[in-house]
Amino acid sequence: MDSRRGKLFRLTGRRDVERDLADELDHHLALAEEEALAAGADPAEARGAAERELGDRGRLLDEMRTIAAASRRANRRTERMGRWLLEIRRAWRSIRRDRWFALAAFSMVAVAVAANLGMFSVLNAAFWRALPYPDAERIVSVRESYDGRPLAVAGANFRDWHREATSFAALAAHTSWSGTLVRADRADQVGVAIVTRDFAAVMGVAPAVGRWFADEETRENGAPATVISDRLWRARFGMAADVVGSTIEVDGYHLTVVGVMPAALQYPSGAELWIPAELFGDSESRTAHNWKVVGRLAEGVDAAAATRSLSDLTVRITSSEPATEYLANGALVRSLRSELLGQSPSVLLVLQAAVALLLLIAVLNLTALQLARASKRRGETVMITALGAGRMDLVRRSVAEALVLAVVGTGLGVAAWVGVRSRVVPVLGEALPFVGTLPLDLRVIGFLAALIAVVCLVAGLVPAWWAARTAQSDGVAARGRTVGPGLTMRSLMSVEVAATYVLLAGAALLGKSLGRMLDQPLGFELDNRVVVAVDLPSQPGSPFRDRERNAAFFEQLAGQAAALPSVRRVAFGTAAPLLGRSPDGRARIAGTPSESNVDGVIADFRVASPGFFSVLGVPLVAGREFEATDRAESPYVAVVNESFVRRFLPGAEPLGQRVKFGGMDWVDEDRWATVVGVVGDVRQRGPGDDPVPAVYYDYAQRPQPGRTGQLIVEHAGPAPVVLDGLRGLLGREAPMVPFLGGPLADGLESAVAGPRLRTAVLTGFAIAALVLAAVGLFGVVGFAVAQRTRELGLRIALGATAGGVVRAAIGPSLLAVALGLVMGVGASAVLGRLAGGLLFEVSSLDAAALAAAAVLLGGAALVACLGPVRRALAIDPSRALREE
């Protein structure tokens, strides 16, 4: 029996539930007694028979009470659900009638949800979604270390690890490069992974077609074989079933395809085929760090225990070697996920914090709008309270509106994210290859539910709380001021301004950092330069393995390229900037401690042709460049950069110094070279890369078999035309080499892609936050003016000046903005230190950037106040005084 019926019973004097239950049992007892009497029993026997038939009266009463209570609970649930449905329908009708409010509210929620959904999907892929490998939590990345500094692994050390380490169920080494796949007179660049035999066991993945490498294919000079990726199988072989057993040519090697790996295997990143490392052999050096290592931990072993065990083993196997910082004295074991993420976590967390602030701003704005609506309907609230509505009824009404706004806005946000996801994923994939397709899994759905709950709780409960507090008010306070949620709304606005300022300050800092980066002198010219990477096959037996043949090919190619239309000058080498870091190693300088020190000095190793520096626009500081007379039989010469001179030859005359740089290539004789020139510093990897000491050798004197050479072309005509000519030339002279060329400026875009992307994303969030804050401030100030129309009219009637009216109208709101700015500056000072690693030559407390954010936000606040100020100044005193 529901509560309303119970109230009716009490009002009309009806019996309560307990009496009803007792009467029901008495009625059944009387009926049974009458039946017994009709059958001929005497009254005493009839009474006893009826009681025996009825059973334990107390137990029956308890059961009936339980049934009645369950019925009442079910009725109350049905009643509450009905009330909620009724309120939701009423809320939907109310929101639909107020179209501008609906548009603003839905837009705010949709923007915030779309941004948060996108960032959470990326975080989910980065930190929580399981990697597509069995027991992926046991797969770890393993590195050597020197005094805690991580190093790649030397081949000799890996072989000892593989043989003696007990912390791993399987251990494998791998390295990667870009190779050339030649098939059907077509050459393509492919990602090549060189892996040891246990690689598949470590990853826990078996070929989807065919098999993994057999024993005869995983030994030095064994049968050449390869396993290809699912992507390569689809793109180049059309998923042909007979691909297994076919032969392909990669970098001049003829390899038999023995299997196709499933699409889930995407490690190492970009790998399209895998080749056994044992096929090529390896050096016995313990300081040649050429390998990455992955392992599968043994049962019951964690990464910390594996680190301790492997460090002890490393110290033991290297103890007999001369100690240098290139000789490992420890090991580092961490999860494969950490290896894949690299430096991404800090960037991702900063961006997630940004979108969380954007959500906060949207919710605060929505709350302010709801408060304004609640204030406008104060008379309605007073009426329904007088008719018996309680606090829960007011809460239900407010939360129902917030629920409609949250659900519809979230739906629009999800639709917006789904619409842009296909465009966003490729951009993210360049920086975060692990993100995949960002599916909407259970975690993401749970996150959406949490967003809806947050919007409902904040945007619904705050207005409900205010409405409940003022429900008994008659709408007019003493001294003529209209009762309204002004203080609450201004408090919300202060928090919103603070959050907006944090985003603007972050965007300003990143923007200034990017500007500083782009303003850095590169040390070379970008305009009218194209670069073509030429990856010649270098397998045993290839004609390009011969150094002289290699040098002659590049000289011939450069000469023919110089004859192409619109080409001014051509050079070649292994040191074209913006194509990655040059290899570094230990050089020695005659007459310095490094001459007898086997460690030497650390410098980059680069090889260039005559005219290389002129074509790139690298300034010649002293001496001369390489010349055509610097041939193999000529005196051995080198050119160094200014960083080399500053660091290793301070105060000395660099020209005439002798340097030696062995161990960097297949040079038979490690000879002393005379320094004949000094050139300016080049930021090899882009504007964010500090110049490093470098030694350049002449290509004719030190040709580079097995390395990718680059043609650098200075041109006068359109770059696409020049590139077409170079493509045709390379196709004629080296059809087995894929064409990989483009404007040198494209390399700069790639070098700053990461900083540019995060700056653009954070700037977008900041602009959205600024717009939301301006809209919210416009609404708050406009609401305040509307609430104080009578007061402002009285001021005008009493002779208040325009300035006085403006101060009275928007003064409290501007004070809230100022308070928010102060809070925002404090928050930026704290949070800026956490994101300081993302800045380039800019302090997290940069005064100019922080001041620019404050001026921009303050200007937006003043613009948002213009409309309400005009309305305040246009108030008709006589009309305002008549209205109540």
Side-chain angles (χ1 to χ4, degrees), residues 422-764:
S422 59
R423 298 182 180 181
V424 171
V425 168
V427 177
L428 291 174
E430 295 179 3
L432 307 170
F434 56 83
V435 299
T437 58
L438 302 181
L440 296 176
D441 61 15
L442 290 178
R443 288 191 184 89
V444 177
I445 294 173
F447 179 74
L448 288 175
L451 287 181
I452 294 174
V454 168
V455 174
C456 290
L457 288 175
V458 179
L461 294 183
V462 172
W465 166 79
W466 178 84
R469 285 189 58 192
T470 60
Q472 302 303 321
S473 173
D474 62 356
V476 180
R479 299 181 179 88
R481 286 187 178 270
T482 304
V483 177
L487 179 60
T488 303
M489 295 179 72
R490 289 195 295 273
S491 300
L492 294 176
M493 184 52 61
S494 293
V495 177
E496 182 176 352
V497 168
T500 304
Y501 179 82
V502 171
L503 285 178
L504 286 173
L509 289 172
L510 285 180
K512 187 171 184 178
S513 172
L514 180 61
R516 285 280 180 88
M517 184 180 293
L518 294 176
D519 287 341
Q520 294 298 310
L522 296 172
F524 58 91
E525 298 294 334
L526 287 173
D527 296 336
N528 299 321
R529 269 82 173 175
V530 299
V531 59
V532 179
V534 183
D535 191 5
L536 298 175
S538 59
Q539 80 284 1
S542 168
F544 296 107
R545 192 176 178 89
D546 178 77
R547 293 186 307 216
E548 286 70 22
R549 174 71 180 85
N550 184 289
F553 172 81
F554 272 104
E555 289 182 2
Q556 178 183 350
L557 192 65
Q560 293 175 336
L564 293 174
S566 301
V567 171
R568 289 176 176 171
R569 292 181 292 181
V570 181
F572 58 92
T574 65
L578 303 177
L579 296 185
R581 178 77 180 267
S582 301
D584 64 350
R586 296 286 183 172
R588 287 186 281 173
I589 307 173
T592 70
S594 66
E595 178 178 0
S596 57
N597 185 346
V598 295
D599 286 347
V601 295
I602 298 177
D604 273 16
F605 174 82
R606 302 171 186 172
V607 182
S609 73
F612 180 87
F613 304 109
S614 299
V615 172
L616 275 174
V618 179
L620 180 65
V621 178
R624 66 174 177 87
E625 295 189 46
F626 298 123
E627 297 176 349
T629 55
D630 295 321
R631 309 302 299 173
E633 64 277 4
S634 304
Y636 203 38
V637 296
V639 172
V640 298
N641 66 356
E642 289 182 291
S643 289
F644 188 94
V645 174
R646 283 194 302 269
R647 187 172 301 180
F648 305 131
L649 297 171
E653 171 57 49
L655 300 181
Q657 299 284 343
R658 294 188 304 148
V659 296
K660 183 184 288 189
F661 212 150
M664 297 306 299
D665 48 14
W666 302 341
V667 173
D668 297 328
E669 182 182 358
D670 186 12
R671 297 180 290 166
W672 287 101
T674 301
V675 176
V676 297
V678 179
V679 295
D681 289 331
V682 170
R683 295 181 186 270
Q684 194 71 12
R685 290 187 293 181
D689 183 37
D690 291 331
V692 297
V695 180
Y696 296 85
Y697 288 91
D698 188 281
Y699 207 106
Q701 295 185 340
R702 201 157 181 174
Q704 296 295 293
R707 294 184 187 272
T708 298
Q710 304 109 22
L711 282 182
I712 300 97
V713 179
E714 182 183 2
H715 59 88
V721 174
V722 176
L723 288 170
D724 285 342
L726 292 171
R727 182 182 290 105
L729 172 62
L730 191 62
R732 291 190 302 271
E733 297 299 320
M736 79 299 294
V737 176
F739 182 80
L740 305 170
L744 189 59
D746 288 354
L748 177 62
E749 292 301 314
S750 298
V752 299
R756 194 187 297 277
L757 175 63
R758 59 177 175 256
T759 301
V761 171
L762 190 58
T763 300

Side-chain angles (χ1 to χ4, degrees), residues 123-147:
L123 288 177
N124 181 41
F127 296 109
W128 303 301
R129 194 173 68 198
L131 296 175
Y133 311 117
D135 295 328
E137 67 279 359
R138 291 174 52 201
I139 304 177
V140 293
S141 169
V142 187
R143 293 196 176 198
E144 294 180 354
S145 66
Y146 178 81
D147 290 347

Side-chain angles (χ1 to χ4, degrees), residues 362-420:
V363 172
L364 292 176
N365 250 351
L366 188 61
T367 304
L369 290 175
Q370 287 283 81
L371 277 169
R373 283 167 58 83
S375 180
K376 289 180 181 179
R377 297 181 305 191
R378 185 171 55 254
E380 176 187 345
T381 301
V382 171
M383 182 181 297
I384 63 174
T385 303
L387 293 176
R391 288 180 178 268
M392 281 306 301
D393 296 305
L394 298 177
V395 169
R396 187 182 301 110
R397 169 167 291 204
S398 181
V399 172
E401 287 193 357
L403 180 62
V404 171
L405 295 173
V407 170
V408 176
T410 300
L412 294 174
V414 171
W417 165 243
V418 171
V420 302

Side-chain angles (χ1 to χ4, degrees), residues 149-189:
R149 176 169 60 91
L151 301 168
V153 179
N157 291 345
F158 168 74
R159 287 194 293 274
D160 289 336
W161 285 358
H162 186 268
R163 183 173 57 252
E164 300 184 38
T166 59
S167 300
F168 303 91
L171 205 61
H174 66 89
T175 189
S176 303
W177 64 67
S178 295
T180 301
L181 170 65
V182 179
R183 186 171 183 268
D185 297 327
R186 174 183 166 187
D188 291 314
Q189 187 180 47

Side-chain angles (χ1 to χ4, degrees), residues 91 110 278 542 830:
E278 293 84 359
S542 168
V830 175

